Amino acid sequence: MAIPTLVIALLLILTGVGGYFLGHPAPGADHVSYTALIPAVVGLILGILGAISFNEKARKHVMHLAAMVGLLSAIGDGMQLLKTINNTDTPADIRQMKIISMSVTLFLCVVFLVLCIRSFINARKNRVAGK
């Protein structure tokens, strides 16, 4: 599960950095909000956990922690996505970029969670079978 974690982490980092550099500054501001980098921070955390999970002794605990990070990120991002969709006060171009970035982040976090759950189920089956 270490390799998929690193792949998801890289995609989240690209989403965050892309959202920041391709985003539009809010009216009255000279820069894009640093909150656009939140997916990159989540990706960095998952990347670190994915790298640590190559250690056989730490894998179980680290991957459970990574799954928790993915779950909390999915919940938080989903709530913010709903707020952004319902917020019509934000200019359309900024709102559209936020919705795209948040949707990609939510998708990646949900895919990561599904992969984690499948991996945990397979690990349990293998442990019970004595492998």
Side-chain angles (χ1 to χ4, degrees):
M1 195 52 206
I3 300 294
T5 302
L6 294 176
V7 171
I8 294 289
L10 178 64
L11 292 173
L12 283 168
I13 290 169
L14 291 174
T15 300
V17 171
Y20 182 78
F21 286 110
L22 298 175
H24 304 289
D30 59 346
H31 68 284
V32 177
S33 174
Y34 293 117
T35 58
L37 292 170
I38 289 174
V41 172
V42 172
L44 182 64
I45 293 168
L46 287 179
I48 291 168
L49 294 173
I52 295 171
S53 72
F54 281 107
N55 180 344
E56 186 72 33
K57 292 180 182 179
R59 181 174 297 145
K60 179 180 175 181
H61 299 295
V62 170
M63 289 314 300
H64 279 86
L65 181 59
M68 184 181 73
V69 168
L71 176 64
L72 293 175
S73 297
I75 291 170
D77 191 66
M79 290 172 46
Q80 288 302 315
L81 180 60
L82 290 175
K83 285 182 184 178
T84 301
I85 289 171
N86 292 326
N87 183 4
T88 57
D89 296 336
T90 307
D93 54 344
I94 295 172
R95 187 168 166 253
Q96 181 181 6
M97 189 55 144
K98 283 181 171 183
I99 290 172
I100 291 169
S101 179
M102 289 179 182
S103 297
V104 170
T105 303
L106 180 61
F107 174 76
L108 290 172
C109 288
V110 169
V111 166
F112 178 67
L113 281 172
V114 168
L115 291 174
C116 283
I117 291 168
R118 288 183 61 212
S119 174
F120 296 158
I121 290 170
N122 288 337
R124 169 71 86 170
K125 285 180 182 177
N126 290 339
R127 193 170 42 249
V128 168
K131 292 182 181 177

